[in-house]
Amino acid sequence: MTRLLQYLMVFFVFLAACSPRSEGPAEPVEPSGTLTFIHLNDTYRIDAVEEGRAGGFGRVVTIVRRLQQQGNDVRILHGGDFLFPSLESQLWQGEQIVDAFNFMDDIAPMYVVPGNHEFDRRSPEAVINAIRLSEFDWLGDNVRLLTGDEIIDQSMQTGFVLEAGGKKIGIFALTIHQDDGGNDRDYAPIDRDYVGIAEASIKRLEAENVDAIIGLTHLHLWTDKEIAKLKASHPRFLFIAGGHEHEPQHEAATEESAEIVKGASNARTIWQIDVSFPEDDGIPEIVTKRIKLDESVATDADYEILESRWRRKLLEKIPFLPARIGTAAVPLDAREVTIRNEESSWANFIVDQMRSAFGEPAADFAFVNSGTLRIDDYIAEDITFEDVGRTFGFSSYLRHLVLSGSDFKTVMEAGYRGVGPSKGYFPQISGFRVCVDRSQPDGGRIIQLQLPVESGWDDIEPDADYLVVAPDFLYRGGDGYDFSRARDVSRPGSELKYLVLDAIIRAQSAGQTIGEPVNPDDPRIAFVQEGRQTCFE
Ligand SMILES: [Zn+2]
């Protein structure tokens, strides 16, 4: 043995001894034999959210290690949306998330389906780079990659089968089509026949004699519910682990329907699914458990090293990120659970800037899809560059246009369609107030749409013309909004991020604080309460 080799061996033994493990396995344990899936979806941050108190991969790793210590055979599922959008993704095109996923895959094998945000970029470079760096598996039964790079294109796997403890588990994976809010790219065509493709994949997996079948999806809940019905004729189809909704979803299994689970964005809530196989080769059973990742779950110490490495890189690129640019008058609520479901104090401030984006006269109305506002956190006391940077995961240019009162109301209906919470198309509004009845059919849910008048509030005039400011993304049909009846449409201009920065800095210079609490007695957005017809008298 050479001296160098001896030295290296000592060094590695030393490293192994020092390696910080928050909960490293001390003794090899007798495997419990339980196959456990940990499911997460819609994760944009490599660190935790809500001022570090919720979510984050560091807490996911702790849960995985804990289960492994009990002897469980753990696999990680991800229901899509991770490369974009985020502050870091604007610098590294999602490489930071791939690094985090590789870390988790090292601990327990990981399988992901791409969501709409993996295809945010019009050209394929980001996806090619991400797949090239990925050590985990990409699954997609209804998406083909046509990047021109053969190895990359073949990395999107269909009819995937994994083996665990002598059992074969088949996974079919489906992602969302552009007609439902996905991104249609030449390099990633997506087939919309979700149920048809699911059934074809299930039949192929059955022909391979798999013991259990799982759906890994990034679709609206109502589509997942349709797919889940395939269990009636395919009893080994056990559950769907999904994404796209940003708050937890659970549809219990029945004889005719597979169970559906979805977590909260940024791993604030994840799912544990234990699969047990009967002796007689019968239908496996599952037990699902919702796990809230809050301060009661420690962050894995090894993962923290990765996290702080990316933090250092971020601060090298943007050293002024922590600098204070303004002061919040009250803790401003910019969490997704708020911003995608109800009026938000941070969004009110933002959308109020939009009406004057094109000078005088200010527009009558403005609105923004809540999916544009990505920070998923509180903004309290100091407002920093980072708060603004994290709020806008992508550029949002605005348009100024004219709509009749009745056309404006029709446009706004798109914001309240569908079932399930936390839709990115849910609008944050300024210059008007709205009363929504979710029990009504799509397209007829706005019960009142009122604007301020001298004596209080009045209904919008169907035939009058109104000046409106809205994001170019929505004007072009994004998120299902239809502006085809708009007139006098401006070019896209006035980037929302800079408008907000400017307003904060102006307020700070004038010695003013930012924002005010949402007033429950005078809401902009209200929902019809049970047994009532309207929200506003
Ligand atoms: Zn999505």
Side-chain angles (χ1 to χ4, degrees), residues 42 44 80-81 115-117 176 218 243-246:
D42 298 83
Y44 308 92
D81 275 3
N116 47 304
H117 283 303
I176 195 162
H218 191 84
H244 202 52
E245 271 91 8
H246 282 209

Side-chain angles (χ1 to χ4, degrees), residues 2 35 119 149 522:
T2 66
L35 173 63
F119 306 119
D149 182 319
D522 186 18

Side-chain angles (χ1 to χ4, degrees), residues 144-183:
R144 273 185 314 145
L145 287 183
L146 300 170
T147 66
D149 182 319
E150 212 175 309
I151 293 172
I152 296 296
D153 293 353
Q154 284 166 5
S155 314
M156 190 67 75
Q157 305 180 71
T158 60
F160 186 79
V161 178
L162 67 89
E163 301 215 356
K167 300 292 180 187
K168 285 162 77 178
I169 320 295
I171 306 179
F172 68 88
L174 299 169
T175 190
I176 195 162
H177 184 269
Q178 82 158 344
D179 288 356
D180 303 304
N183 281 316

Side-chain angles (χ1 to χ4, degrees), residues 59 113 132 166 199 225 256 275 294 362 405 434 469 493 536:
R59 290 191 169 100
V113 62
R132 189 168 287 146
E199 178 144 45
K225 284 178 165 183
E256 282 85 41
V275 187
D294 56 20
V434 68
V469 171
F536 315 124

